Amino acid sequence: MAGPHGSRKKLSKNLLQMKFMQRSTVKSEKEQNEQERQRVIDDEHWVLDIPELQQRESRFQLEPSYVPCENLRFGRMSFMGFNPEIEKIMRLHDTQQALESAEEREREIGVSETEMTHRYESLVGTIAKKFSKKRHRSSANDEENSGTKKKSKKQFLKPDDD
């Protein structure tokens, strides 16, 4: 009970020890404990204790527009000098698209330097074998085989005279 001085009077010790007062304090303490327990449960309830999953690379590609999916041309169009600025942008866009498609075609059709050297080396060896004489061919084959596999002649071993 607030007085004019702002101080609050306390209940007497005998009044607090009465049965109905003890029940009310126990009841209020139980409510506080239950609220705290509920708050802790709510805080822990929505938290998972598992490590975060690493995001895999998506198999799908998201496009904000359907233009690339449909292979549509440049968005704004102008014909016969109606809007010269747009026609200029259209020409630049078309030349850029043509260059990109030509480069892509070249990459698909072209042969890389390493592939070309490998082909050339095998071709040189094949042609050299074709034009070599039979004697040289057989000796070259023997040299190749001797380098990779050693064939030993079987010989008769004499027994020791002990």
Side-chain angles (χ1 to χ4, degrees):
M1 326 271 165
H5 299 291
S7 65
R8 187 169 184 173
K9 292 184 180 179
K10 293 185 179 182
L11 298 174
S12 69
K13 184 174 162 185
N14 291 333
L15 185 62
L16 289 174
Q17 287 180 349
M18 291 183 172
K19 197 86 154 169
F20 74 96
M21 288 298 284
Q22 287 180 352
R23 276 188 253 139
S24 64
T25 56
V26 168
K27 185 178 179 182
S28 66
E29 286 177 4
K30 281 184 181 179
E31 288 177 2
Q32 280 183 338
N33 288 340
E34 185 63 33
Q35 286 176 355
E36 286 179 29
R37 195 175 312 122
Q38 192 64 30
R39 190 178 320 121
V40 169
I41 290 172
D42 287 343
D43 290 344
E44 292 177 355
H45 181 73
W46 297 109
V47 177
L48 297 176
D49 290 337
I50 59 173
E52 291 184 28
L53 296 173
Q54 294 179 353
Q55 213 172 29
R56 285 187 270 160
E57 188 173 317
S58 178
R59 293 184 288 171
F60 306 105
Q61 183 179 6
L62 300 176
E63 278 291 331
S65 174
Y66 61 89
V67 173
C69 301
E70 297 289 331
N71 292 327
L72 298 177
R73 297 189 67 182
F74 184 67
R76 292 181 67 184
M77 310 245 355
S78 173
F79 300 99
M80 300 179 72
F82 185 74
N83 194 342
E85 292 175 10
I86 298 299
E87 288 181 22
K88 183 179 175 183
I89 295 172
M90 280 175 52
R91 272 188 250 112
L92 289 173
H93 183 68
D94 288 342
T95 55
Q96 187 178 20
Q97 289 286 346
L99 284 174
E100 288 175 5
S101 63
E103 287 175 1
E104 186 175 332
R105 238 181 288 118
E106 182 65 33
R107 270 187 261 123
E108 290 175 2
I109 296 172
V111 179
S112 69
E113 292 177 3
T114 55
E115 189 177 347
M116 187 62 131
T117 56
H118 179 70
R119 285 184 183 178
Y120 183 72
E121 287 173 353
S122 64
L123 179 68
V124 167
T126 305
I127 292 175
K129 286 180 183 177
K130 182 177 181 180
F131 289 111
S132 66
K133 295 185 180 181
K134 286 186 179 181
R135 288 183 187 172
H136 296 292
R137 233 185 280 163
S138 64
S139 65
N141 287 339
D142 289 340
E143 288 174 5
E144 288 176 10
N145 290 337
S146 66
T148 57
K149 297 179 183 175
K150 290 188 176 182
K151 292 184 180 179
S152 61
K153 279 188 174 181
K154 294 184 180 180
Q155 296 179 355
F156 180 73
L157 299 174
K158 294 181 183 179
D160 292 331
D161 291 331
D162 291 273

